[in-house]
Amino acid sequence: MSIDSDDEDITGLSDIFVVSDAVEDYKYTFADDLTLTIKGQELQNQNIQPTTGLLPWPAASILGHYIAFNRKQFVDKTVLELGTGVGVCGLAVSKFARTTVMSDGEQSTFEQLELNIDNNKHLYMTRPTVVHLGWGNNSTLDTIKQSYGGNHFDIIIGSDLVYFDASIEPLFYTVNQLLSGEPGSSFYLSFLDRKNHLPTVERVSTHYKFNMTSVPISTFTKDTTVSTMAKMFIFTRQ
Ligand SMILES: C[S@@+](CC[C@H](N)C(=O)[O-])C[C@H]1O[C@@H](n2cnc3c(N)ncnc32)[C@H](O)[C@@H]1O
């Protein structure tokens, strides 16, 4: 997903974060014992943003804390991450899951993502797989269904995927297509509610017949750097 001055109003992101081509280390510790180092583009105060997937976003640490604190929910599960970017949450969950599939619609993120997977081998027994998946894109959805079988995933995760109202419908379309129908199957989503996206999230998730449960951030992390706009939700099928 590229952002330039022409589509700035559509995405609404260039006024939130700006990056450069320089790469830096982002170090995370979740629940005291889950550590990872992610390389991603540097945040800068310049009005350029080649792609949003090339650096870790703030809501990634929220979902990372949630995963580490509630690790039993992920043990031995087949997990798909949507909009993985440079891979913070997929890597965190790979420590506990049986299978981890990390996806993004923007293939320019994949080179850095694969390097980050290489650099965090201490986390996983089975290396996460990287796949191309555009939300609502039936051809990439069909490829995943053929590779992994129907709506196969026990758990879908995503961080900072909600910042543009129009992408919320294809996001939930995709979750509905790929999340298992088995009891307990869940979509875990963290985001910063920067522009009052909650009403759209509620409407669209209800349309796809998901129950939406808010998880107070203070129940799983004492991280004081977490934004007051931070939200954490679990969606389960009605
Ligand atoms: C704000 S970034 C968040 C990245 C990562 N989850 C994190 O928290 O660090 C949004 C990610 O979603 C991906 N994305 C946005 N729209 C998408 C779409 N329609 N289909 C697939 N991926 C998409 C972008 O390429 C990017 O990697």
Side-chain angles (χ1 to χ4, degrees):
M1 180 179 53
S2 294
I3 295 177
D4 57 32
S5 55
D6 290 339
D7 58 11
E8 178 174 345
D9 289 343
I10 297 173
T11 62
L13 274 175
S14 60
D15 56 339
I16 303 168
F17 285 108
V18 176
V19 297
S20 80
D21 284 340
V23 170
E24 67 173 305
D25 283 348
Y26 295 83
K27 292 184 186 298
Y28 297 89
T29 302
F30 300 128
D32 295 335
D33 65 341
L34 199 168
T35 58
L36 60 157
T37 301
I38 294 290
K39 285 190 190 297
Q41 286 185 342
E42 202 173 55
L43 277 171
Q44 287 201 343
N45 295 319
Q46 297 169 27
N47 193 21
I48 51 164
Q49 185 148 0
T51 170
T52 58
L54 288 169
L55 77 166
W57 286 71
S61 69
I62 298 162
L63 184 55
H65 283 302
Y66 180 90
I67 290 166
F69 190 81
N70 296 286
R71 59 191 65 192
K72 286 186 183 158
Q73 293 169 17
F74 301 91
V75 170
D76 214 25
K77 301 293 186 189
T78 298
V79 180
L80 170 68
E81 181 174 23
L82 300 177
T84 193
V86 284
V88 178
C89 298
L91 276 162
V93 89
S94 75
K95 185 172 168 68
F96 313 111
R98 177 162 40 94
T99 304
T100 306
V101 179
M102 300 163 88
S103 74
D104 207 287
E106 179 51 72
Q107 287 172 289
S108 66
T109 59
F110 290 175
E111 186 180 350
Q112 188 61 61
L113 176 60
E114 293 281 8
L115 289 172
N116 286 334
I117 296 172
D118 286 344
N119 291 339
N120 287 280
K121 288 196 172 93
H122 63 286
L123 290 171
Y124 49 83
M125 301 278 282
T126 305
R127 185 187 169 89
T129 312
V130 174
V131 296
H132 180 219
L133 172 58
W135 310 334
N137 177 327
N138 283 322
S139 86
T140 58
L141 271 166
D142 287 346
T143 304
I144 294 206
K145 285 180 181 172
Q146 279 161 19
S147 305
Y148 294 94
N151 51 357
H152 165 90
F153 294 95
D154 302 319
I155 289 178
I156 298 181
I157 61 171
S159 64
D160 246 325
L161 308 184
V162 170
Y163 45 82
F164 174 40
D165 267 4
S167 67
I168 295 170
E169 203 285 332
L171 174 65
F172 278 89
Y173 173 86
T174 302
V175 173
N176 189 43
Q177 290 282 316
L178 295 176
L179 185 67
S180 161
E182 293 298 313
S185 304
S186 306
F187 172 39
Y188 296 83
L189 175 69
S190 64
F191 63 97
L192 268 50
D193 196 19
R194 302 177 176 95
K195 294 191 175 174
N196 192 27
H197 302 292
L198 262 186
T200 308
V201 172
E202 283 169 349
R203 179 179 54 75
V204 173
S205 61
T206 302
H207 170 78
Y208 283 104
K209 298 193 169 17
F210 286 104
N211 290 318
M212 175 172 170
T213 304
S214 173
V215 184
I217 309 282
S218 60
T219 61
F220 59 87
T221 178
K222 306 220 175 317
D223 183 349
T224 52
T225 64
V226 170
S227 164
T228 54
M229 293 185 284
K231 307 281 180 206
M232 176 75 215
F233 292 101
I234 304 174
F235 297 89
T236 49
R237 293 190 187 277
Q238 289 175 0

